[in-house]
Amino acid sequence: MTAPPGAVLLDQLRAALARYVILPSAEAGDAVALWVAATHAQPAWQHATRLVITAPEKRCGKSRLLDIVETTCHDPLIAVNISPAALVRSITDDPPTLLLDEADTFFGKKAADNHEDLRGLINAGHQRNRPYVRWDAALRQPEHCPTFSMAALAGIGSMPDTIEDRAVMVKMRRRGPGERVQPFRTRRDAPALHELRDCLTAWIRTRLDALTDAEPDMPVEDRAADNWEPLIAVADAAGGSWPDRARTACRVLTNAAEEDTTLGVRLLADLRQVFGDAEALHGATILDALCKLDESPWADWYGRPFNARDLAKMLKPFGVASLDVKEGGINRKGYRREHLYDAWSRYLRPEQEGTATAATSATAQVNGMAEVAGSGQRTLPATGAPSLTRDVAEVARVAEPPCCAGCGSPMDPQLAAAGDTTHPGCDPA
């Protein structure tokens, strides 16, 4: 059976990505191909999904991936130290695709304060009807400039969490010893990719009305659904294997993104484990238990243990404050479970119950983490312990072996199974 034309074009685009770049997973490759295709239908979308390409170190292929995206996306606008005024005046009703390489130089800790306007524009441009308003002194009236435009950002380390929340995340890694790609040469390779780009444009532009009205079934909700809806709508229009592949990529990449959590959420998860079944705990008890958690950042908080002031400061945004509580008959400042429960129910997954630290544990110490520019928070990547959205089966309790009626020590399972109640030589009396 012949594949639909849209599916064939997406297959060709996916193959082109794999030819020049080693992507971290098949789902990441599908997501990038769908994102590139979605840039050709920007007038149809209500949300302009960001594509964030990150890497832990240089030479992981992020810039090369951005080269392929530039060659195949709709009307690329490469922003090298672009000013906010120039950016918004480059956006039209059929907007370009903003490409920002080395984004860590814009949003890194030292440079973030100088680029707050740019970060605000990138965030605002995720949704329609969020104009950039400035006073026009010559005309003596406000000027409303559109900001809506799909954007791809590449850089080392994390982006501001407000940007990552509006993005499909692709985390690159350096090629392994046995992994090979074809070198990309613009003069040689760009013409074929441009031809593929033009075919994508011709195919998608005839379907703008249908894509505008599309309401695909989404495997995720809320902001994640806003981000993935254009990609899944394109996949549904293409047909073939792409509808299933798009939804698989959506689930996999969204789950991976949710495993990265801010320290505030990490603290809530760790507190839930520390409290266990206790109704109230002294602050000193909580701090001691937090610092003893395996692989936690609390014992080495900026070179010192996490203290009562730090705890109060991090819990304040969640509406939790300390009060006098009784523990072991002694009254001291502490926290009550009932006051934390609302924050737990809002910010933690129900299946984390009883495994809060495992679900959000991390290997990096706080000294090795960078502050997310513009967010006021630091991020801590969770380990590959149970996914926050994964169903975890309850583990049955293992029955304890019977004890010897003579000496009281555990019986050998085989003897117990044979009906013996004592060890050989033991006197049950």
Side-chain angles (χ1 to χ4, degrees), residues 187-208:
R187 182 178 298 179
R188 180 193 66 200
D189 301 321
L193 293 177
H194 285 159
E195 183 177 349
L196 176 58
R197 176 200 64 196
D198 295 342
C199 290
L200 276 171
T201 302
W203 173 72
I204 284 182
R205 289 297 166 129
T206 62
R207 290 162 175 78
L208 278 185

Side-chain angles (χ1 to χ4, degrees), residues 35-55:
W35 185 89
V36 169
T39 65
H40 296 272
Q42 292 189 65
W45 311 131
Q46 288 299 311
H47 293 88
T49 307
R50 277 74 184 98
L51 176 67
V52 170
I53 307 165
T54 63

Side-chain angles (χ1 to χ4, degrees), residues 93-285:
D93 292 338
D94 189 3
T97 304
L98 176 64
L99 304 179
L100 185 59
D101 199 2
E102 308 298 342
D104 48 303
T105 63
F106 288 86
F107 302 122
K109 186 174 182 180
K110 294 181 179 179
D113 292 343
N114 298 325
H115 297 95
E116 278 297 298
D117 282 351
L118 181 60
R119 184 175 70 90
L121 284 175
I122 292 175
N123 288 340
H126 177 257
Q127 189 172 346
R128 285 197 180 277
N129 302 319
R130 299 293 185 271
Y132 176 92
V133 182
R134 287 295 181 267
W135 182 256
D136 188 325
L139 297 176
R140 299 182 62 80
Q141 64 183 22
E143 180 184 14
H144 293 70
C145 302
T147 61
F148 184 84
S149 176
M150 292 183 74
L153 301 89
I156 294 175
S158 298
M159 300 293 164
D161 57 354
T162 54
I163 291 178
E164 292 190 353
D165 190 47
R166 294 164 168 81
V168 169
M169 300 291 300
V170 175
K171 299 182 179 181
M172 302 294 289
R173 58 191 181 187
R174 194 170 289 180
R175 282 192 288 125
E179 295 176 325
R180 297 287 183 269
V181 293
Q182 179 178 316
F184 178 74
R185 299 291 179 265
T186 302
R187 182 178 298 179
R188 180 193 66 200
D189 301 321
L193 293 177
H194 285 159
E195 183 177 349
L196 176 58
R197 176 200 64 196
D198 295 342
C199 290
L200 276 171
T201 302
W203 173 72
I204 284 182
R205 289 297 166 129
T206 62
R207 290 162 175 78
L208 278 185
D209 289 343
L211 291 172
T212 300
D213 297 333
E215 295 182 7
D217 292 331
M218 301 298 298
V220 292
E221 298 178 339
D222 302 326
R223 179 61 62 79
D226 294 339
N227 295 336
W228 279 89
E229 186 175 74
L231 282 66
I232 290 180
V234 168
D236 287 348
S241 63
W242 280 97
D244 290 337
R245 289 165 63 177
R247 287 168 173 81
T248 298
C250 175
R251 285 188 290 266
V252 170
L253 270 64
T254 299
N255 288 348
E258 287 182 353
E259 288 177 3
D260 287 347
T261 180
T262 64
L263 278 172
V265 175
R266 168 68 188 270
L267 176 62
L268 290 176
D270 285 351
L271 284 173
R272 187 156 64 178
Q273 184 186 15
V274 165
F275 264 79
D277 295 328
E279 293 300 324
L281 291 175
H282 290 159
T285 304

Side-chain angles (χ1 to χ4, degrees), residues 8 58 107 256:
V8 172
K58 59 185 178 182
F107 302 122

Side-chain angles (χ1 to χ4, degrees), residues 10 13-14 17 28-38 200 234 242:
L10 288 178
L13 179 56
R14 179 67 179 84
L17 292 169
D30 290 345
V32 174
L34 289 166
W35 185 89
V36 169
L200 276 171
V234 168
W242 280 97

